[in-house]
Amino acid sequence: MGRKPCCSKEGLNRGAWTAMEDDILVSYIAKHGEGKWGALPKRAGLKRCGKSCRLRWLNYLRPGIKRGNISGDEEELILRLHTLLGNRWSLIAGRLPGRTDNEIKNYWNSTLSKRGFLISPWRGGGHDDGNAAAGAVPNLPMPIGYELGGAGGGGEAGAVDLEALLGQLEAEEDDDGDHHHHHHQQQQQEEEVPSSLGDEDDDYLELAPWLL
DNA sequence: AAGTATCCCAACCGCGAGAGC
DNA sequence: GGCTCTCGCGGTTGGGATACT
């Protein structure tokens, strides 16, 4: 895959966004819609790379964004979903109306991880090296006996079918809103954060019963 | 009151996947 | 079928704000 030229281009602004840049971006998207991030900066007259514009929009400017004050319910949900999904912040964010993956990631790294909730062993550490804390998982709320079926050759009875679980989640993402998860959160934005996982979520909780 | 340490959040970077040519 | 480009994700960093000494 061709390495993308990216933002390190001469003459582009970097660092914090100004109010004027925000205005330009918001009004451009209001007029033309999201997408075409690569072409957006030039068309909108912004001296930013497309990636930077996208990030600013998704994490800050998009309507419906909630900022700060993560409630106890939300925190609990984050913990459960992280146990289930590992560091799949975008999926977790998809379950938290108005929250962004970046915010959840920050919240996790700055708050929860300090309380001893480290990275889940399976997807945790992401790809490759899986350096970060792949080993130590002191407070993982998964009881012994719920071993991961895959890889190591554990499997056996009682093992969670993680792949099925993930497939299910991802399928939901798809039909929830033909676009990606960020979009459906506005309509299901009846304000309230689910105090626990909603009905549809029970499906995958069946596959991860220790969360109940 | 001043200096230093720590925390938190916005933004950047690098990579992989998928779409289009 | 292979190559290039765009998009999206997760990890990391920088800097401002706040707390502590």
Side-chain angles (χ1 to χ4, degrees):
Chain A
M1 290 123 223
R3 263 263 49 95
K4 149 167 163 213
C6 195
C7 318
S8 51
K9 281 214 176 144
E10 68 296 332
L12 293 184
N13 290 344
R14 307 186 44 169
W17 280 65
T18 65
M20 184 179 293
E21 287 176 312
D22 284 347
D23 283 348
I24 293 171
L25 181 58
V26 168
S27 59
Y28 180 89
I29 290 175
K31 210 176 284 181
H32 300 94
E34 296 181 45
K36 305 277 185 229
W37 298 109
L40 187 150
K42 190 176 282 186
R43 290 171 192 262
L46 283 166
K47 289 186 171 168
R48 295 274 180 176
C49 71
K51 273 177 123 171
S52 184
C53 294
R54 175 181 161 273
L55 206 64
R56 182 65 177 171
W57 172 254
L58 290 179
N59 289 334
Y60 201 88
L61 300 173
R62 191 161 45 101
I65 296 276
K66 285 192 222 165
R67 314 195 57 72
N69 296 325
I70 290 184
S71 67
D73 286 344
E74 286 175 300
E75 181 181 305
E76 182 188 357
L77 189 55
I78 291 168
L79 284 169
R80 287 180 170 208
L81 288 169
H82 187 271
T83 301
L84 196 57
L85 299 167
N87 295 5
R88 315 246 298 201
W89 306 116
S90 61
L91 279 177
I92 294 172
R95 297 278 147 185
L96 288 157
R99 300 295 184 186
T100 69
D101 57 348
N102 206 35
E103 182 173 23
I104 291 168
K105 180 171 58 180
N106 282 332
Y107 183 69
W108 181 270
N109 287 336
S110 63
T111 305
L112 299 180
S113 65
K114 289 198 181 89
R115 293 190 214 157
F117 298 105
L118 296 183
I119 306 297
S120 298
W122 45 63
R123 308 281 306 202
H127 31 287
D128 327 336
D129 48 342
N131 56 358
V137 188
N139 291 331
L140 183 71
M142 178 178 68
I144 297 169
Y146 284 113
E147 304 290 346
L148 247 199
E156 290 94 50
V160 59
D161 185 351
L162 182 63
E163 291 310 317
L165 194 57
L166 292 172
Q168 196 173 337
L169 268 176
E170 274 150 16
E172 279 180 24
E173 291 302 313
D174 289 346
D175 52 39
D176 266 358
D178 76 70
H179 300 94
H180 64 293
H181 54 269
H182 292 307
H183 296 264
H184 72 261
Q185 53 196 32
Q186 267 151 270
Q187 57 221 44
Q188 82 171 105
Q189 172 110 323
E190 318 102 341
E191 244 349 74
E192 279 336 293
V193 174
S195 61
S196 62
L197 298 167
D199 293 353
E200 50 179 5
D201 298 305
D202 292 344
D203 292 335
Y204 60 77
L205 282 176
E206 280 176 24
L207 295 166
W210 65 85
L211 292 175
L212 292 170

